[in-house]
Amino acid sequence: MSPAGTPLRLGVLASGSGSNLQSILDGCVGGSIPARVGVVICNVPGARALRRAEAAGVPALLLDHRVHRARDDYDWELVAALRKHDVDLVCLAGFMRLIGPALLSSFHNKILNIHPSLLPSFPGMHAVRQALAAGVRVAGCTVHLVDEGTDTGPILIQAAVPVFDGDTEETLAERILVQEHRCYPRAISLLAQGRVQIDGRRVRISGAAADAARTLSSPELLD
Ligand code: GAR
């Protein structure tokens, strides 16, 4: 990706609060992610993600999708901005727009997304609401590479959390978000270290710890 010796440059696309963006910015500054954020692009005026980028001293662009009639025109504008900032890896962090062919072909296998469900369950909008409606006892988040489908690309990391009887969409989303902030920096770091090998739908991660005895059950199996 980057020429040898230069840190990977990230372009983060966000639409909302930007708490995942913040975990990436913090990881880059703190050294847990061997990369730097080259640009943050937001499609929603006034989104907190823009202020987080500015506070971190990172170029922050507002590209409002509503000023473009054609989806493709907007995607090409995204590509131009990402190229201008020498971005190697695109990180979708709560970016609430579908990614079109222009962006996909320009950054093939170089676009990551985080989604608040254990994919392939509950893709698309309102994932946490879908999980509660389905009555699952374990929920979670997924970091995956983006392909032409909706939340269908190869999976790098997943983390699971229990669902409690009293959960609302808000309480469960909050529990999942804590894990998102752990998973996304880790996934970027693995890519930046060249430890990720894509083999069809499966992703192999070199040197990943594996403990076959670790499980999560909900409710807990105490007896
Ligand atoms: C996160 O929960 C992320 O997984 C979700 O939006 C939230 C953004 O929060 N993304 C999707 O649902 C994408 N389909 P943030 O702005 O605080 O990072």
Side-chain angles (χ1 to χ4, degrees):
M1 284 195 191
S2 273
T6 59
L8 199 72
R9 280 176 73 86
L10 311 176
V12 183
L13 273 53
S15 300
S17 144
S19 69
N20 278 289
L21 162 67
Q22 192 66 56
S23 73
I24 295 168
L25 289 165
D26 292 348
C28 290
V29 170
S32 63
I33 307 177
R36 52 185 294 204
V37 179
V39 65
V40 171
I41 303 175
C42 191
N43 65 323
V44 177
R48 186 164 171 212
L50 282 169
R51 296 200 296 282
R52 292 186 193 265
E54 282 160 6
V58 167
L61 297 182
L62 169 65
L63 294 184
D64 189 342
H65 60 274
R66 291 168 306 184
V67 302
H68 291 267
R69 292 231 179 91
R71 173 181 292 277
D72 217 34
D73 289 349
Y74 182 74
D75 276 19
W76 280 119
E77 196 177 337
L78 285 177
V79 170
L82 293 164
R83 291 251 185 266
K84 185 175 166 214
H85 290 273
D86 293 322
V87 164
D88 305 298
L89 180 69
V90 181
C91 301
L92 309 182
F95 188 63
M96 297 306 186
R97 275 185 67 79
L98 292 178
I99 296 301
L103 195 53
L104 275 175
S105 59
S106 302
F107 288 88
H108 179 65
N109 273 351
K110 291 177 183 167
I111 308 177
L112 277 179
N113 183 41
I114 187 147
H115 185 75
S117 79
L118 294 173
L119 291 171
S121 293
F122 317 127
M125 297 292 286
H126 307 302
V128 179
R129 194 181 303 171
Q130 291 184 57
L132 282 174
V136 295
R137 307 293 314 207
V138 173
C141 63
T142 303
V143 182
H144 64 96
L145 287 159
V146 176
D147 65 9
E148 52 291 329
T150 301
D151 302 321
T152 53
I155 292 171
L156 271 83
I157 297 190
Q158 295 186 300
V161 301
V163 179
F164 300 135
D165 290 351
D167 267 332
T168 63
E169 196 175 339
E170 288 69 32
T171 58
L172 180 54
E174 207 174 305
R175 194 173 309 121
I176 294 170
L177 202 56
V178 173
Q179 299 309 313
E180 293 187 36
H181 298 161
R182 301 176 65 215
C183 288
Y184 215 171
R186 182 80 177 126
I188 296 166
S189 181
L190 289 170
L191 275 170
Q193 292 168 31
R195 292 172 55 188
V196 174
Q197 191 190 327
I198 302 156
D199 181 8
R201 295 211 50 75
R202 296 195 63 182
V203 170
R204 298 182 199 287
I205 296 170
S206 62
D211 179 352
R214 285 193 67 192
T215 60
L216 169 69
S217 59
S218 170
E220 279 195 67
L221 306 175
L222 295 174
D223 40 15

